[in-house]
Amino acid sequence: MKMTTRIAFDNMKYHKSRNILIGIAIILTTMLLFVIPTVGRGIVKLQFAATDRLYPAWHALYRNVDEDTARKLAAHHDISKAGIRSDAGYMSLEQASVAMLYVDETGRELYKMAPERGRVPQREDEIVVSPGILKELGQQGDIGDTITVPYQIFRDGGLDHTQQKEFRICGFFEDSEANLENRMYTALVSEAFLKNEVPKEELAYRFLLQIADGDNPDTVEIEEKIKHIAEQFGISEKDININEDYLVANYVDPVMIPAIVLIMLVIMLAGMITIYSIYYVSMNQRIQEFGRMKAIGATKRQIRQIVLREGLCIAAITVPAGLLIGTFVSQVVMKVFVSVKAPAKSAIYIDTIKAVFEEGEVSLWCWWEYLLAAAVMICTVYFSLVRPMHVAAKVSAVEAMRMQNAGRRQRSRRKGYGFLTVARLTRRNLTENKKKSTVTILAMAVTGVFMMVVATVLACADPRESASSSILGQYEISPIVERGNKEHPEREWSEILKDNPLNESLKQQIEALPGVEKVDVFSTYTISGGTFAEEEGESLNGVPPEYAKELEKGIIKGKVTYEELKSGDKVIIDNTALWWHPELDVGDKLNLMFRDGEKTFEKEVEIAAIGDYGHGMTRYNYLIMAKEAVDRMSEYNSSEFFHVYADKDYDPALEKELADIVHASGRIQMRTWQEEYDKWSSTTPITAGACYAFLGILAAISVMNLINTMINSVHVRKKELGMMQAIGMSDSQLLKMLQLEGLFYTAGTLVIAVGGGSLLGYPVFLYAKEHGWMEIRNYHYPAAAACTVAVVLLLLQIVLAAVIARSVRKNSLIERIRFSE
């Protein structure tokens, strides 16, 4: 036992150059095995802590629950905590939204909405407000003061007419930055006010609940219980709202574990391939060594133990180094993550994450992460050595003692040349070591293929294209639409049709602005019936003729021309709609109810084709028809979107003029291309940077193969090269030979990595496009990534050849000729 360990330790020191490369590979692999789960867990924990601070603590809520059902639900054995909330109405304000809610004690606990000052309302005329609400009302006051509040109550399925009432302030909420920025607030009213204002037969609650978690359920089990309870009480699935953010933050998500395991397996595989190939390349020169051990009585088991312990000795030194480096790297990565500038919509959430990180609420490192990374790395080393151990144990003592370097059989097959050149010397060495060359190339190419596939997805996720897919043109103008607001009946779509602000006059006004190239008009027609429920708010999308080619090009199943869509009897259905209505297919007939103002009529249309279009084209209206047909069916102006094309993607002067027009109207709203671009450009570089950093380290691990192969090739042939130089081979010819060998490995790797990665990248792009990853629409070949891989490998082999040639020249010719393994 002690003898085999001693021999393994001495072998580790003797084969220093090879073991240094193995050590570097182990350090990098260990670092990744530690950093990936540590950073992943740290980011998730930070997000969960921020979620717990910001979001409600209920697992789910059931909408439209009456008082009797709420009482029965609260007694259910699977529900550990229950509360109720009821939306009484809204304050009647033009520029702000203030919801007036009644929430019971448990509900307030689950919503985390205790007043900052004062108490909750008890009497009918008491209210909890915030400074922001008072500002919107244009009034001042403190606890005990009276304010006048205009409000609309929910009655008859919508908001009733405005009323006024004097309320006494009994408490104050704190305004968040989001409240102030979005001008959206919540006021708390009493149960007495709710029951006095809302008719008993119309009183409906949102039932808030937490599922009993005594058996440590995961998120899937909790969601199944939530849906099962709803079924027991006849609550429809559309009335269930599951708080997925809170569940994932506080319970085990079964999807996360396979994702982490998959990433660690990829890292483990890269490490195994590298370590195995390094041992494999150098195994031939050690056959005599193992043969001598056999000759003096070493058993197969002892040979295997020597090879294994040699690898474990290297791991014992390098694994702690990898963990130490990983600790430092993970801290740096986390600091970079929390310092990233967030989009405006996510600013509060990101700021909360930063606060949690700076306060040290979440511990980044955990003892089991160190143990996990070390254990997985030891397993990686062991599996990498299984084949070398087997090969070493099979060596015959007699045959090994007869072999000289590559062996008599290989020497006898050498082809003689009448005239020797550097190219012929290179070719001879490569052809005599085909397996070694193949292993080296394949080991490097695996990472290259993986890199090219990821680079393909990232190249296709262009922020500019993602923004252009989300919105047509640079500006989108549409009417402000509300349903069921009796105070603003003019915002019902049926009323907007009669006096549509998107009229020809507005179009001409916009077209006259400097910088505007054109304005495209899309129409909408409200439909229901068949598979589309009325509450879904499905509409026909009337596409103008300027997009005829784009419509026809986007068809993925079936066939229809734009001219045929003008008939009004055929439609294209967007592929996205099939997620909710998978039963629909080409050739299906839909009996639809068309609603034009107060008039309705039935009409049968045929699904002539299924198309794949960006959200900018559909705007979530997934039934598509020619604009001419939609306009013909309506006696009103059915325009819903003005898509404004400008000569610049971002023109502050033009945007201000359009904003002034929108503000002056008071009936329309605007969305801009720049907003969409800012959203995508803030997230894509972070994803790309993380992916390339991960792949870069994997590539560095794989490059150890090339370094080992070239070093080993020269090491084995030192005597031969010395003799060649003794009879006239110059230093420049030696360097050229090494560069040609490196070029062969580089070319082989590039052919497989770039070629195979390019072929595999396209189906991955199609999958990403079909599943809506990052609004990917168009294929872009990752030329920059392919060129980068090629240049890096070429530079690496040039530098490596020069370093190795210089190392060889350090020894005199006599020393090289006398060299023998």
PDB file of all heavy atoms in Angstrom, residues 88-89 100-102 121-127 149 151-153 155 163 165 167 188-198 203:
ATOM      1  N   ALA A  88     -63.323  47.318  -3.794  1.00  0.00           N
ATOM      2  CA  ALA A  88     -64.542  48.112  -3.732  1.00  0.00           C
ATOM      3  C   ALA A  88     -64.692  49.000  -4.961  1.00  0.00           C
ATOM      4  O   ALA A  88     -65.784  49.156  -5.508  1.00  0.00           O
ATOM      5  CB  ALA A  88     -64.537  48.971  -2.467  1.00  0.00           C
ATOM      6  N   GLY A  89     -63.587  49.588  -5.412  1.00  0.00           N
ATOM      7  CA  GLY A  89     -63.653  50.463  -6.582  1.00  0.00           C
ATOM      8  C   GLY A  89     -62.359  51.213  -6.765  1.00  0.00           C
ATOM      9  O   GLY A  89     -61.299  50.797  -6.270  1.00  0.00           O
ATOM     10  N   MET A 100     -59.290  51.078  -4.275  1.00  0.00           N
ATOM     11  CA  MET A 100     -59.839  51.118  -2.923  1.00  0.00           C
ATOM     12  C   MET A 100     -60.199  49.691  -2.529  1.00  0.00           C
ATOM     13  O   MET A 100     -61.127  49.096  -3.089  1.00  0.00           O
ATOM     14  CB  MET A 100     -61.069  52.032  -2.879  1.00  0.00           C
ATOM     15  CG  MET A 100     -60.759  53.464  -3.321  1.00  0.00           C
ATOM     16  SD  MET A 100     -62.231  54.512  -3.434  1.00  0.00           S
ATOM     17  CE  MET A 100     -62.691  54.672  -1.704  1.00  0.00           C
ATOM     18  N   LEU A 101     -59.447  49.134  -1.576  1.00  0.00           N
ATOM     19  CA  LEU A 101     -59.568  47.721  -1.225  1.00  0.00           C
ATOM     20  C   LEU A 101     -59.997  47.540   0.216  1.00  0.00           C
ATOM     21  O   LEU A 101     -59.638  48.332   1.097  1.00  0.00           O
ATOM     22  CB  LEU A 101     -58.222  47.006  -1.411  1.00  0.00           C
ATOM     23  CG  LEU A 101     -57.453  47.180  -2.727  1.00  0.00           C
ATOM     24  CD1 LEU A 101     -56.164  46.378  -2.670  1.00  0.00           C
ATOM     25  CD2 LEU A 101     -58.309  46.750  -3.896  1.00  0.00           C
ATOM     26  N   TYR A 102     -60.761  46.457   0.421  1.00  0.00           N
ATOM     27  CA  TYR A 102     -60.963  45.956   1.779  1.00  0.00           C
ATOM     28  C   TYR A 102     -60.183  44.653   1.899  1.00  0.00           C
ATOM     29  O   TYR A 102     -60.321  43.752   1.060  1.00  0.00           O
ATOM     30  CB  TYR A 102     -62.435  45.683   2.086  1.00  0.00           C
ATOM     31  CG  TYR A 102     -62.590  44.786   3.297  1.00  0.00           C
ATOM     32  CD1 TYR A 102     -62.252  45.247   4.563  1.00  0.00           C
ATOM     33  CD2 TYR A 102     -63.005  43.463   3.162  1.00  0.00           C
ATOM     34  CE1 TYR A 102     -62.347  44.418   5.677  1.00  0.00           C
ATOM     35  CE2 TYR A 102     -63.111  42.629   4.268  1.00  0.00           C
ATOM     36  CZ  TYR A 102     -62.769  43.106   5.518  1.00  0.00           C
ATOM     37  OH  TYR A 102     -62.849  42.282   6.612  1.00  0.00           O
ATOM     38  N   PRO A 121     -58.652  50.854   8.888  1.00  0.00           N
ATOM     39  CA  PRO A 121     -59.996  51.441   9.037  1.00  0.00           C
ATOM     40  C   PRO A 121     -60.992  50.463   9.665  1.00  0.00           C
ATOM     41  O   PRO A 121     -60.947  49.262   9.377  1.00  0.00           O
ATOM     42  CB  PRO A 121     -60.395  51.794   7.601  1.00  0.00           C
ATOM     43  CG  PRO A 121     -59.542  50.933   6.733  1.00  0.00           C
ATOM     44  CD  PRO A 121     -58.274  50.704   7.473  1.00  0.00           C
ATOM     45  N   GLN A 122     -61.845  50.976  10.499  1.00  0.00           N
ATOM     46  CA  GLN A 122     -62.880  50.171  11.146  1.00  0.00           C
ATOM     47  C   GLN A 122     -64.273  50.715  10.838  1.00  0.00           C
ATOM     48  O   GLN A 122     -65.192  49.960  10.564  1.00  0.00           O
ATOM     49  CB  GLN A 122     -62.641  50.141  12.669  1.00  0.00           C
ATOM     50  CG  GLN A 122     -61.330  49.466  13.050  1.00  0.00           C
ATOM     51  CD  GLN A 122     -61.027  49.625  14.532  1.00  0.00           C
ATOM     52  OE1 GLN A 122     -61.697  50.385  15.255  1.00  0.00           O
ATOM     53  NE2 GLN A 122     -59.996  48.921  14.996  1.00  0.00           N
ATOM     54  N   ARG A 123     -64.425  52.041  10.880  1.00  0.00           N
ATOM     55  CA  ARG A 123     -65.719  52.654  10.581  1.00  0.00           C
ATOM     56  C   ARG A 123     -65.857  52.876   9.087  1.00  0.00           C
ATOM     57  O   ARG A 123     -64.891  52.884   8.329  1.00  0.00           O
ATOM     58  CB  ARG A 123     -65.861  53.980  11.336  1.00  0.00           C
ATOM     59  CG  ARG A 123     -65.864  53.781  12.834  1.00  0.00           C
ATOM     60  CD  ARG A 123     -66.128  55.043  13.619  1.00  0.00           C
ATOM     61  NE  ARG A 123     -66.066  56.278  12.861  1.00  0.00           N
ATOM     62  CZ  ARG A 123     -65.639  57.432  13.388  1.00  0.00           C
ATOM     63  NH1 ARG A 123     -65.218  57.484  14.632  1.00  0.00           N
ATOM     64  NH2 ARG A 123     -65.639  58.534  12.650  1.00  0.00           N
ATOM     65  N   GLU A 124     -67.082  53.106   8.666  1.00  0.00           N
ATOM     66  CA  GLU A 124     -67.378  53.254   7.236  1.00  0.00           C
ATOM     67  C   GLU A 124     -66.658  54.443   6.610  1.00  0.00           C
ATOM     68  O   GLU A 124     -66.288  54.412   5.439  1.00  0.00           O
ATOM     69  CB  GLU A 124     -68.897  53.415   7.051  1.00  0.00           C
ATOM     70  CG  GLU A 124     -69.316  53.536   5.605  1.00  0.00           C
ATOM     71  CD  GLU A 124     -70.801  53.802   5.471  1.00  0.00           C
ATOM     72  OE1 GLU A 124     -71.545  53.514   6.431  1.00  0.00           O
ATOM     73  OE2 GLU A 124     -71.213  54.313   4.403  1.00  0.00           O
ATOM     74  N   ASP A 125     -66.415  55.502   7.363  1.00  0.00           N
ATOM     75  CA  ASP A 125     -65.826  56.717   6.796  1.00  0.00           C
ATOM     76  C   ASP A 125     -64.326  56.832   7.056  1.00  0.00           C
ATOM     77  O   ASP A 125     -63.754  57.919   6.940  1.00  0.00           O
ATOM     78  CB  ASP A 125     -66.535  57.953   7.332  1.00  0.00           C
ATOM     79  CG  ASP A 125     -66.371  58.107   8.844  1.00  0.00           C
ATOM     80  OD1 ASP A 125     -65.958  57.117   9.506  1.00  0.00           O
ATOM     81  OD2 ASP A 125     -66.631  59.207   9.366  1.00  0.00           O
ATOM     82  N   GLU A 126     -63.673  55.725   7.426  1.00  0.00           N
ATOM     83  CA  GLU A 126     -62.234  55.758   7.681  1.00  0.00           C
ATOM     84  C   GLU A 126     -61.472  55.179   6.488  1.00  0.00           C
ATOM     85  O   GLU A 126     -61.977  54.279   5.782  1.00  0.00           O
ATOM     86  CB  GLU A 126     -61.883  54.979   8.950  1.00  0.00           C
ATOM     87  CG  GLU A 126     -62.379  55.654  10.221  1.00  0.00           C
ATOM     88  CD  GLU A 126     -61.988  54.898  11.477  1.00  0.00           C
ATOM     89  OE1 GLU A 126     -61.821  53.651  11.403  1.00  0.00           O
ATOM     90  OE2 GLU A 126     -61.856  55.539  12.523  1.00  0.00           O
ATOM     91  N   ILE A 127     -60.255  55.668   6.278  1.00  0.00           N
ATOM     92  CA  ILE A 127     -59.464  55.254   5.121  1.00  0.00           C
ATOM     93  C   ILE A 127     -57.970  55.363   5.431  1.00  0.00           C
ATOM     94  O   ILE A 127     -57.554  56.224   6.213  1.00  0.00           O
ATOM     95  CB  ILE A 127     -59.815  56.116   3.878  1.00  0.00           C
ATOM     96  CG1 ILE A 127     -59.221  55.515   2.610  1.00  0.00           C
ATOM     97  CG2 ILE A 127     -59.327  57.558   4.069  1.00  0.00           C
ATOM     98  CD1 ILE A 127     -59.730  56.179   1.336  1.00  0.00           C
ATOM     99  N   VAL A 149     -63.088  62.456  -1.201  1.00  0.00           N
ATOM    100  CA  VAL A 149     -62.608  61.488  -2.181  1.00  0.00           C
ATOM    101  C   VAL A 149     -63.678  61.229  -3.241  1.00  0.00           C
ATOM    102  O   VAL A 149     -64.787  60.783  -2.918  1.00  0.00           O
ATOM    103  CB  VAL A 149     -62.244  60.148  -1.499  1.00  0.00           C
ATOM    104  CG1 VAL A 149     -61.817  59.117  -2.539  1.00  0.00           C
ATOM    105  CG2 VAL A 149     -61.143  60.352  -0.473  1.00  0.00           C
ATOM    106  N   TYR A 151     -64.949  58.788  -6.099  1.00  0.00           N
ATOM    107  CA  TYR A 151     -64.657  57.373  -6.328  1.00  0.00           C
ATOM    108  C   TYR A 151     -65.759  56.729  -7.174  1.00  0.00           C
ATOM    109  O   TYR A 151     -66.863  57.237  -7.286  1.00  0.00           O
ATOM    110  CB  TYR A 151     -64.494  56.621  -5.012  1.00  0.00           C
ATOM    111  CG  TYR A 151     -65.717  56.615  -4.131  1.00  0.00           C
ATOM    112  CD1 TYR A 151     -66.657  55.592  -4.214  1.00  0.00           C
ATOM    113  CD2 TYR A 151     -65.946  57.651  -3.208  1.00  0.00           C
ATOM    114  CE1 TYR A 151     -67.796  55.583  -3.401  1.00  0.00           C
ATOM    115  CE2 TYR A 151     -67.067  57.650  -2.405  1.00  0.00           C
ATOM    116  CZ  TYR A 151     -67.991  56.620  -2.502  1.00  0.00           C
ATOM    117  OH  TYR A 151     -69.112  56.624  -1.705  1.00  0.00           O
ATOM    118  N   GLN A 152     -65.390  55.579  -7.773  1.00  0.00           N
ATOM    119  CA  GLN A 152     -66.332  54.761  -8.542  1.00  0.00           C
ATOM    120  C   GLN A 152     -66.363  53.364  -7.941  1.00  0.00           C
ATOM    121  O   GLN A 152     -65.312  52.753  -7.719  1.00  0.00           O
ATOM    122  CB  GLN A 152     -65.892  54.665 -10.004  1.00  0.00           C
ATOM    123  CG  GLN A 152     -65.889  55.978 -10.758  1.00  0.00           C
ATOM    124  CD  GLN A 152     -65.277  55.811 -12.139  1.00  0.00           C
ATOM    125  OE1 GLN A 152     -64.107  56.077 -12.342  1.00  0.00           O
ATOM    126  NE2 GLN A 152     -66.090  55.361 -13.094  1.00  0.00           N
ATOM    127  N   ILE A 153     -67.565  52.864  -7.690  1.00  0.00           N
ATOM    128  CA  ILE A 153     -67.739  51.550  -7.088  1.00  0.00           C
ATOM    129  C   ILE A 153     -67.981  50.514  -8.182  1.00  0.00           C
ATOM    130  O   ILE A 153     -68.634  50.794  -9.199  1.00  0.00           O
ATOM    131  CB  ILE A 153     -68.925  51.557  -6.093  1.00  0.00           C
ATOM    132  CG1 ILE A 153     -68.578  52.441  -4.891  1.00  0.00           C
ATOM    133  CG2 ILE A 153     -69.272  50.156  -5.621  1.00  0.00           C
ATOM    134  CD1 ILE A 153     -67.429  51.934  -4.040  1.00  0.00           C
ATOM    135  N   ARG A 155     -70.040  47.970  -9.707  1.00  0.00           N
ATOM    136  CA  ARG A 155     -71.427  47.514  -9.697  1.00  0.00           C
ATOM    137  C   ARG A 155     -71.789  47.044 -11.099  1.00  0.00           C
ATOM    138  O   ARG A 155     -71.298  47.600 -12.086  1.00  0.00           O
ATOM    139  CB  ARG A 155     -72.387  48.626  -9.269  1.00  0.00           C
ATOM    140  CG  ARG A 155     -72.220  49.131  -7.844  1.00  0.00           C
ATOM    141  CD  ARG A 155     -73.395  50.022  -7.438  1.00  0.00           C
ATOM    142  NE  ARG A 155     -73.204  50.624  -6.128  1.00  0.00           N
ATOM    143  CZ  ARG A 155     -72.781  51.870  -5.945  1.00  0.00           C
ATOM    144  NH1 ARG A 155     -72.523  52.638  -6.988  1.00  0.00           N
ATOM    145  NH2 ARG A 155     -72.636  52.345  -4.717  1.00  0.00           N
ATOM    146  N   GLN A 163     -68.913  59.088  -7.352  1.00  0.00           N
ATOM    147  CA  GLN A 163     -69.547  59.618  -6.147  1.00  0.00           C
ATOM    148  C   GLN A 163     -68.482  60.368  -5.347  1.00  0.00           C
ATOM    149  O   GLN A 163     -67.278  60.216  -5.603  1.00  0.00           O
ATOM    150  CB  GLN A 163     -70.116  58.479  -5.292  1.00  0.00           C
ATOM    151  CG  GLN A 163     -71.097  57.579  -6.006  1.00  0.00           C
ATOM    152  CD  GLN A 163     -71.423  56.347  -5.181  1.00  0.00           C
ATOM    153  OE1 GLN A 163     -71.167  55.233  -5.613  1.00  0.00           O
ATOM    154  NE2 GLN A 163     -71.975  56.531  -3.992  1.00  0.00           N
ATOM    155  N   LYS A 165     -67.300  61.388  -1.217  1.00  0.00           N
ATOM    156  CA  LYS A 165     -67.551  61.083   0.198  1.00  0.00           C
ATOM    157  C   LYS A 165     -66.400  61.656   1.014  1.00  0.00           C
ATOM    158  O   LYS A 165     -65.248  61.694   0.559  1.00  0.00           O
ATOM    159  CB  LYS A 165     -67.628  59.565   0.394  1.00  0.00           C
ATOM    160  CG  LYS A 165     -67.960  59.115   1.812  1.00  0.00           C
ATOM    161  CD  LYS A 165     -68.019  57.607   1.886  1.00  0.00           C
ATOM    162  CE  LYS A 165     -68.314  57.127   3.302  1.00  0.00           C
ATOM    163  NZ  LYS A 165     -69.673  57.479   3.732  1.00  0.00           N
ATOM    164  N   PHE A 167     -63.869  61.230   3.986  1.00  0.00           N
ATOM    165  CA  PHE A 167     -63.237  60.158   4.766  1.00  0.00           C
ATOM    166  C   PHE A 167     -62.318  60.786   5.809  1.00  0.00           C
ATOM    167  O   PHE A 167     -61.695  61.827   5.573  1.00  0.00           O
ATOM    168  CB  PHE A 167     -62.396  59.248   3.859  1.00  0.00           C
ATOM    169  CG  PHE A 167     -63.203  58.300   3.009  1.00  0.00           C
ATOM    170  CD1 PHE A 167     -63.637  58.673   1.746  1.00  0.00           C
ATOM    171  CD2 PHE A 167     -63.527  57.028   3.475  1.00  0.00           C
ATOM    172  CE1 PHE A 167     -64.368  57.806   0.954  1.00  0.00           C
ATOM    173  CE2 PHE A 167     -64.246  56.152   2.683  1.00  0.00           C
ATOM    174  CZ  PHE A 167     -64.683  56.547   1.422  1.00  0.00           C
ATOM    175  N   LEU A 188     -56.850  51.757   1.602  1.00  0.00           N
ATOM    176  CA  LEU A 188     -57.522  50.701   2.361  1.00  0.00           C
ATOM    177  C   LEU A 188     -58.804  51.263   2.974  1.00  0.00           C
ATOM    178  O   LEU A 188     -58.782  52.307   3.618  1.00  0.00           O
ATOM    179  CB  LEU A 188     -56.586  50.188   3.462  1.00  0.00           C
ATOM    180  CG  LEU A 188     -56.847  48.786   4.005  1.00  0.00           C
ATOM    181  CD1 LEU A 188     -56.688  47.748   2.905  1.00  0.00           C
ATOM    182  CD2 LEU A 188     -55.861  48.489   5.139  1.00  0.00           C
ATOM    183  N   VAL A 189     -59.926  50.542   2.725  1.00  0.00           N
ATOM    184  CA  VAL A 189     -61.216  50.955   3.290  1.00  0.00           C
ATOM    185  C   VAL A 189     -61.724  49.860   4.225  1.00  0.00           C
ATOM    186  O   VAL A 189     -61.169  48.763   4.288  1.00  0.00           O
ATOM    187  CB  VAL A 189     -62.252  51.238   2.176  1.00  0.00           C
ATOM    188  CG1 VAL A 189     -61.798  52.413   1.328  1.00  0.00           C
ATOM    189  CG2 VAL A 189     -62.481  50.000   1.308  1.00  0.00           C
ATOM    190  N   SER A 190     -62.791  50.160   4.936  1.00  0.00           N
ATOM    191  CA  SER A 190     -63.320  49.224   5.933  1.00  0.00           C
ATOM    192  C   SER A 190     -64.331  48.253   5.311  1.00  0.00           C
ATOM    193  O   SER A 190     -64.860  48.499   4.217  1.00  0.00           O
ATOM    194  CB  SER A 190     -63.995  49.998   7.064  1.00  0.00           C
ATOM    195  OG  SER A 190     -65.144  50.679   6.569  1.00  0.00           O
ATOM    196  N   GLU A 191     -64.616  47.182   6.051  1.00  0.00           N
ATOM    197  CA  GLU A 191     -65.623  46.218   5.601  1.00  0.00           C
ATOM    198  C   GLU A 191     -66.996  46.873   5.585  1.00  0.00           C
ATOM    199  O   GLU A 191     -67.828  46.588   4.716  1.00  0.00           O
ATOM    200  CB  GLU A 191     -65.620  44.996   6.522  1.00  0.00           C
ATOM    201  CG  GLU A 191     -66.563  43.904   6.075  1.00  0.00           C
ATOM    202  CD  GLU A 191     -66.509  42.674   6.985  1.00  0.00           C
ATOM    203  OE1 GLU A 191     -65.995  42.785   8.122  1.00  0.00           O
ATOM    204  OE2 GLU A 191     -66.996  41.606   6.555  1.00  0.00           O
ATOM    205  N   ALA A 192     -67.218  47.773   6.529  1.00  0.00           N
ATOM    206  CA  ALA A 192     -68.515  48.473   6.598  1.00  0.00           C
ATOM    207  C   ALA A 192     -68.737  49.304   5.338  1.00  0.00           C
ATOM    208  O   ALA A 192     -69.847  49.327   4.779  1.00  0.00           O
ATOM    209  CB  ALA A 192     -68.552  49.356   7.831  1.00  0.00           C
ATOM    210  N   PHE A 193     -67.715  49.990   4.868  1.00  0.00           N
ATOM    211  CA  PHE A 193     -67.830  50.779   3.641  1.00  0.00           C
ATOM    212  C   PHE A 193     -68.126  49.863   2.450  1.00  0.00           C
ATOM    213  O   PHE A 193     -68.992  50.168   1.621  1.00  0.00           O
ATOM    214  CB  PHE A 193     -66.529  51.552   3.401  1.00  0.00           C
ATOM    215  CG  PHE A 193     -66.479  52.256   2.071  1.00  0.00           C
ATOM    216  CD1 PHE A 193     -67.094  53.477   1.887  1.00  0.00           C
ATOM    217  CD2 PHE A 193     -65.822  51.675   0.986  1.00  0.00           C
ATOM    218  CE1 PHE A 193     -67.053  54.119   0.653  1.00  0.00           C
ATOM    219  CE2 PHE A 193     -65.768  52.304  -0.245  1.00  0.00           C
ATOM    220  CZ  PHE A 193     -66.389  53.534  -0.408  1.00  0.00           C
ATOM    221  N   LEU A 194     -67.406  48.741   2.379  1.00  0.00           N
ATOM    222  CA  LEU A 194     -67.584  47.807   1.263  1.00  0.00           C
ATOM    223  C   LEU A 194     -69.031  47.313   1.200  1.00  0.00           C
ATOM    224  O   LEU A 194     -69.669  47.351   0.142  1.00  0.00           O
ATOM    225  CB  LEU A 194     -66.626  46.625   1.425  1.00  0.00           C
ATOM    226  CG  LEU A 194     -66.809  45.462   0.446  1.00  0.00           C
ATOM    227  CD1 LEU A 194     -66.297  45.857  -0.933  1.00  0.00           C
ATOM    228  CD2 LEU A 194     -66.088  44.214   0.947  1.00  0.00           C
ATOM    229  N   LYS A 195     -69.552  46.839   2.336  1.00  0.00           N
ATOM    230  CA  LYS A 195     -70.889  46.235   2.337  1.00  0.00           C
ATOM    231  C   LYS A 195     -71.980  47.283   2.167  1.00  0.00           C
ATOM    232  O   LYS A 195     -73.081  46.956   1.722  1.00  0.00           O
ATOM    233  CB  LYS A 195     -71.084  45.438   3.619  1.00  0.00           C
ATOM    234  CG  LYS A 195     -70.210  44.186   3.675  1.00  0.00           C
ATOM    235  CD  LYS A 195     -70.514  43.326   4.885  1.00  0.00           C
ATOM    236  CE  LYS A 195     -69.730  42.018   4.822  1.00  0.00           C
ATOM    237  NZ  LYS A 195     -69.997  41.126   5.977  1.00  0.00           N
ATOM    238  N   ASN A 196     -71.692  48.511   2.522  1.00  0.00           N
ATOM    239  CA  ASN A 196     -72.681  49.573   2.345  1.00  0.00           C
ATOM    240  C   ASN A 196     -72.762  50.019   0.879  1.00  0.00           C
ATOM    241  O   ASN A 196     -73.831  50.395   0.391  1.00  0.00           O
ATOM    242  CB  ASN A 196     -72.332  50.771   3.230  1.00  0.00           C
ATOM    243  CG  ASN A 196     -73.371  51.869   3.146  1.00  0.00           C
ATOM    244  OD1 ASN A 196     -74.538  51.668   3.498  1.00  0.00           O
ATOM    245  ND2 ASN A 196     -72.961  53.034   2.653  1.00  0.00           N
ATOM    246  N   GLU A 197     -71.635  49.965   0.165  1.00  0.00           N
ATOM    247  CA  GLU A 197     -71.574  50.466  -1.204  1.00  0.00           C
ATOM    248  C   GLU A 197     -71.879  49.405  -2.251  1.00  0.00           C
ATOM    249  O   GLU A 197     -72.479  49.705  -3.290  1.00  0.00           O
ATOM    250  CB  GLU A 197     -70.179  51.056  -1.471  1.00  0.00           C
ATOM    251  CG  GLU A 197     -69.860  52.309  -0.687  1.00  0.00           C
ATOM    252  CD  GLU A 197     -70.592  53.526  -1.235  1.00  0.00           C
ATOM    253  OE1 GLU A 197     -71.147  53.448  -2.341  1.00  0.00           O
ATOM    254  OE2 GLU A 197     -70.619  54.567  -0.541  1.00  0.00           O
ATOM    255  N   VAL A 198     -71.452  48.169  -2.011  1.00  0.00           N
ATOM    256  CA  VAL A 198     -71.613  47.115  -3.012  1.00  0.00           C
ATOM    257  C   VAL A 198     -72.824  46.262  -2.650  1.00  0.00           C
ATOM    258  O   VAL A 198     -72.922  45.767  -1.516  1.00  0.00           O
ATOM    259  CB  VAL A 198     -70.349  46.220  -3.087  1.00  0.00           C
ATOM    260  CG1 VAL A 198     -70.521  45.128  -4.142  1.00  0.00           C
ATOM    261  CG2 VAL A 198     -69.119  47.068  -3.390  1.00  0.00           C
ATOM    262  N   LEU A 203     -71.457  41.127  -4.173  1.00  0.00           N
ATOM    263  CA  LEU A 203     -70.230  41.114  -3.364  1.00  0.00           C
ATOM    264  C   LEU A 203     -69.404  39.869  -3.686  1.00  0.00           C
ATOM    265  O   LEU A 203     -69.887  38.738  -3.584  1.00  0.00           O
ATOM    266  CB  LEU A 203     -70.606  41.139  -1.883  1.00  0.00           C
ATOM    267  CG  LEU A 203     -69.542  41.611  -0.899  1.00  0.00           C
ATOM    268  CD1 LEU A 203     -69.086  43.032  -1.229  1.00  0.00           C
ATOM    269  CD2 LEU A 203     -70.081  41.540   0.523  1.00  0.00           C
TER     270      LEU A 203
END
